[in-house]
Amino acid sequence: AQTVTQSQPEMSVQEAETVTLSCTYDTSESDYYLFWYKQPPSRQMILVIRQEAYKQQNATENRFSVNFQKAAKSFSLKISDSQLGDAAMYFCAYNTVQGANSKLTFGKGITLSVRP
Amino acid sequence: GAGVSQSPSNKVTEKGKDVELRCDPISGHTALYWYRQSLGQGLEFLIYFQGNSAPDKSGLPSDRFSAERTGGSVSTLTIQRTQQEDSAVYLCASSLAGPSNQPQHFGDGTRLSIL
C-alpha cells in the first residue's frame, strides 16, 4: 500500500517571501501521479499542481512549482512571492495509474500561515 | 458551471441516530468519491463509484457505513447508529472518467457532529 508523509504540521512565511512544503511517499509502483491540494478555511479542496511520475520535468503553475525527486520519493511544493491568500492547509496526495481504482491517498497536511 | 454540491453543510445529531449525507457531482463526471477528514488528520478514502461498475468500498470503516449512487449522478452516504468517533467532515469529490491524473473536484463538505 502507498503512504504519504508530511512531517511538518505547520509552517509560516513572510508575505512576498518563498516557502517550501515537504512531502515524501512510499510506493512500489514505477508510474503514478502526485498532487498538491490546498484547503482554505472554507473547507473546499482546490487542486494546486500535479506531477506525472514518468515526467522528469518539474511541474510549474504560476507561483507554484514542485521539486520532484523520484529516487528519493520526495515531492515538495515551492510557493514563490507568498500572498495572504495562500494561507491554508496544504495536502500532498498520491494516485496510482493502475486500472480504474483512482482513489487519492493523502498526507496529514500542513498548515501554512502568511505573515503580513 | 456548478461545482460539487453537498448537503447539509452541517449536521448535529445524537449518538445512535442514522444520518444521510448527500452529494451532487459536477454534471458529466462519472467518477464520484467520498472521503472523511477527522480533526488534525488528512483525508481518509471511504468509497468510490465509477459509472455503472461495482463501487470500491474498501475504505468504509464498518458495516454501519454505506453509500449508493442513483442514476449515475447523486450519491448518498448513510451512517447508521452513529458513534462519537464518526464526528468528522465528510467530503465528496467527482472527476471525469479517464486516467487517474484527472483532477478531483471537491465539494465544501458536511461537518458531522455526534453528541
Side-chain angles (χ1 to χ4, degrees):
Chain A
Q2 295 81 23
T3 59
V4 177
T5 302
Q6 294 178 255
S7 57
Q8 307 156 304
E10 298 179 350
M11 285 197 75
S12 180
V13 63
Q14 189 75 36
E15 192 176 6
E17 296 295 310
T18 295
V19 64
T20 298
L21 310 182
S22 300
C23 172
T24 59
Y25 58 93
D26 190 23
T27 183
S28 58
E29 298 178 332
S30 59
D31 199 12
Y32 43 86
Y33 302 114
L34 297 165
F35 305 82
W36 277 97
Y37 278 85
K38 169 184 177 181
Q39 187 181 40
S42 66
R43 296 203 304 245
Q44 187 177 51
M45 299 281 282
I46 302 165
L47 178 66
V48 174
I49 199 165
R50 62 181 165 178
Q51 174 83 39
E52 287 85 359
Y54 65 86
K55 291 186 177 178
Q56 293 184 334
Q57 187 172 8
N58 288 324
T60 299
E61 289 286 343
N62 300 314
R63 297 183 297 107
F64 299 88
S65 61
V66 300
N67 182 5
F68 174 49
Q69 300 291 326
K70 191 173 183 180
K73 295 181 181 174
S74 171
F75 182 60
S76 59
L77 175 69
K78 184 171 82 171
I79 306 174
S80 304
D81 185 26
S82 297
Q83 301 176 358
L84 295 177
D86 295 334
M89 279 201 78
Y90 287 81
F91 292 93
C92 179
Y94 174 104
N95 206 340
T96 180
V97 302
Q98 298 297 323
N101 189 15
S102 56
K103 64 189 180 191
L104 287 166
T105 300
F106 286 88
K108 290 190 176 181
I110 178 171
T111 301
L112 177 67
S113 59
V114 181
R115 304 185 303 274
Chain B
V4 176
S5 177
Q6 291 188 247
S7 61
S9 179
N10 292 283
K11 176 73 176 178
V12 180
T13 192
E14 294 179 345
K15 176 182 172 181
K17 300 287 189 183
D18 297 351
V19 295
E20 285 189 352
L21 312 180
R22 176 188 168 103
C23 173
D24 204 337
I26 293 173
S27 178
H29 282 192
T30 58
L32 186 147
Y33 316 79
W34 283 98
Y35 295 90
R36 178 169 72 176
Q37 184 176 20
S38 302
L39 187 64
Q41 301 294 314
L43 276 71
E44 171 192 8
F45 166 75
L46 296 177
I47 188 168
Y48 159 58
F49 296 89
Q50 173 59 59
N52 295 322
S53 302
D56 175 0
K57 304 180 182 179
S58 60
L60 295 179
S62 76
D63 58 8
R64 297 187 295 104
F65 288 72
S66 62
E68 62 178 22
R69 189 178 184 191
T70 54
S73 181
V74 172
S75 176
T76 302
L77 176 69
T78 301
I79 308 173
Q80 296 179 309
R81 306 180 302 281
T82 52
Q83 303 294 313
Q84 288 189 329
E85 61 263 29
D86 299 336
S87 296
V89 175
Y90 290 82
L91 290 163
C92 175
S94 70
S95 71
L96 291 168
S100 50
N101 66 342
Q102 291 286 344
Q104 295 185 16
H105 300 262
F106 286 79
D108 290 343
T110 294
R111 182 179 299 280
L112 177 64
S113 300
I114 309 300
L115 302 178

